[in-house]
């Protein structure tokens, strides 16, 4: 993919380095020249000096052909302007923005811009680690409302239809690892000893899933 990242702080630079390592075409924009130091000297992407909402800087980075745009500067106001410019002016298919004030997240969502809310994400993650330590998320979506978690199934659940574990709108089994191989369960698939199951779970329902598994986990 061709990606543009506005903001070359710790988040932006780390993301850029990772994406470049995965083979993506990455362009980083920052209005402070010294932030370039956070990128390695042999950085295979491009660094552009300028404002993330400046048409000159955006077009120099090739925004007309961008597949995704991420605004992660240190200011909410800047991130929203950059994200709106990318979404509304240049019609970039995927646009994300970092927001420091969680109260502003609703505004971003109304504009159709997914957000990464630092405070709320951190609080949610600490909460899950404290109360659901056996269900550490593998991946989160949105602002943490939905998570993927993996767990070895308790022995007392062996032989049960995997479909029995689904709770409409709250919990769904999306994958099973069995004897080292991954499979997508069919409706009639039965559990076997030592299965490791991936659940898609509404964050608010982690307690319900934990209660379901606690007998064997011994917490």
């Amino acid at each position: 993919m061709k990606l543009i990242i506005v903001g070359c702080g710790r988040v932006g630079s780390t993301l850029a380095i990772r994406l470049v390592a995965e083979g993506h075409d990455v362009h980083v924009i920052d209005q402070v020249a010294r932030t370039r130091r956070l990128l390695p000297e042999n950085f295979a992407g491009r660094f552009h000096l300028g404002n993330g909402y400046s048409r000159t800087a955006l077009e120099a980075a090739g925004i007309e052909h961008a597949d995704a745009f991420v605004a992660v500067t240190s200011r909410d106001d800047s991130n929203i302007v950059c994200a709106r410019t990318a979404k509304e002016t240049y019609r970039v298919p995927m646009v994300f923005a970092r927001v420091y004030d969680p109260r502003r997240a609703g505004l971003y969502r109304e504009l159709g811009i997914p957000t990464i809310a630092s405070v709320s994400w951190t609080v949610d993650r600490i909460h899950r680690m404290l109360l659901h330590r056996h269900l550490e998320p593998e991946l989160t979506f949105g602002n943490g409302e939905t998570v993927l978690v993996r767990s070895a199934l308790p022995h007392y659940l062996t032989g049960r239809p995997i479909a029995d574990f689904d709770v409409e709108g709250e919990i769904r089994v999306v994958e099973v690892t069995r004897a080292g191989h991954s499979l997508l369960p069919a409706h009639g698939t039965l559990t076997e000893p030592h299965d490791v199951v991936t659940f898609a779970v509404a964050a608010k329902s982690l307690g319900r899933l934990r209660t379901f598994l606690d007998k064997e986990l011994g917490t």
Side-chain angles (χ1 to χ4, degrees), residues 13-89:
S13 61
T14 301
L15 180 62
I17 292 167
R18 180 178 298 183
L19 289 168
V20 163
E22 293 172 353
H24 299 290
D25 179 12
V26 179
H27 294 250
V28 181
I29 301 173
D30 199 294
Q31 60 183 343
V32 180
R34 66 175 178 274
T35 60
R36 173 63 177 82
R37 301 172 188 170
L38 294 175
L39 298 170
E41 290 187 7
N42 62 345
F43 180 63
R46 292 278 307 278
F47 178 86
H48 304 266
L49 186 63
N51 288 320
Y53 47 82
S54 161
R55 291 197 175 201
T56 300
L58 291 171
E59 291 176 7
I63 193 168
E64 299 97 331
H65 307 291
D67 299 298
F69 182 97
V70 182
V72 286
T73 75
S74 60
R75 295 179 55 196
D76 283 355
D77 291 343
S78 177
N79 289 339
I80 188 64
V81 172
C82 294
R84 290 192 68 177
T85 301
K87 184 177 182 64
E88 297 172 7
T89 303

Side-chain angles (χ1 to χ4, degrees), residues 153-217:
L153 278 184
H155 296 304
Y156 70 89
L157 293 177
T158 297
R160 291 271 298 276
I162 286 179
D164 285 358
F165 308 154
D166 291 349
V167 178
E168 188 68 25
E170 296 185 49
I171 301 170
R172 177 157 298 175
V173 175
V174 294
E175 183 269 348
V176 177
T177 300
R178 178 174 293 169
H181 298 282
S182 177
L183 62 94
L184 298 179
H187 183 74
T189 301
L190 302 180
T191 60
E192 295 185 4
H194 312 299
D195 278 353
V196 177
V197 175
T198 303
F199 296 91
V201 190
K204 65 182 180 182
S205 300
L206 278 168
R208 182 170 186 171
L209 178 60
R210 181 172 182 255
T211 299
F212 181 65
L213 300 173
D214 266 353
K215 179 179 176 181
E216 184 68 20
L217 293 173

Side-chain angles (χ1 to χ4, degrees), residues 1-6 15 19 24 63 65-71 82-88 90-97 111-116:
M1 291 193 297
K2 179 180 179 65
L3 304 108
I4 294 176
I5 299 172
V6 177
L15 180 62
L19 289 168
H24 299 290
I63 193 168
H65 307 291
D67 299 298
F69 182 97
V70 182
C82 294
R84 290 192 68 177
T85 301
K87 184 177 182 64
E88 297 172 7
Y90 293 99
R91 306 293 183 186
V92 178
M94 291 186 290
V95 176
F96 303 90
L111 296 170
I113 299 171
T115 62
I116 303 92

Side-chain angles (χ1 to χ4, degrees), residues 57-155:
L58 291 171
E59 291 176 7
I63 193 168
E64 299 97 331
H65 307 291
D67 299 298
F69 182 97
V70 182
V72 286
T73 75
S74 60
R75 295 179 55 196
D76 283 355
D77 291 343
S78 177
N79 289 339
I80 188 64
V81 172
C82 294
R84 290 192 68 177
T85 301
K87 184 177 182 64
E88 297 172 7
T89 303
Y90 293 99
R91 306 293 183 186
V92 178
M94 291 186 290
V95 176
F96 303 90
R98 186 179 189 181
V99 56
Y100 289 86
D101 183 352
R103 293 171 297 181
R104 296 189 176 189
L107 170 62
Y108 285 74
R109 285 194 290 270
E110 288 176 6
L111 296 170
I113 299 171
T115 62
I116 303 92
S118 303
V119 175
S120 60
W121 184 89
T122 301
V123 170
D124 287 344
R125 187 170 180 84
I126 292 172
H127 179 263
R128 285 195 296 266
M129 291 174 72
L130 286 170
L131 300 183
H132 312 297
R133 54 194 179 279
H134 294 296
L135 298 176
E136 178 64 13
E138 299 274 328
L139 187 64
T140 63
F141 300 90
N143 287 316
E145 297 91 349
T146 303
V147 298
L148 288 185
V149 296
R150 286 169 60 78
S151 176
L153 278 184
H155 296 304

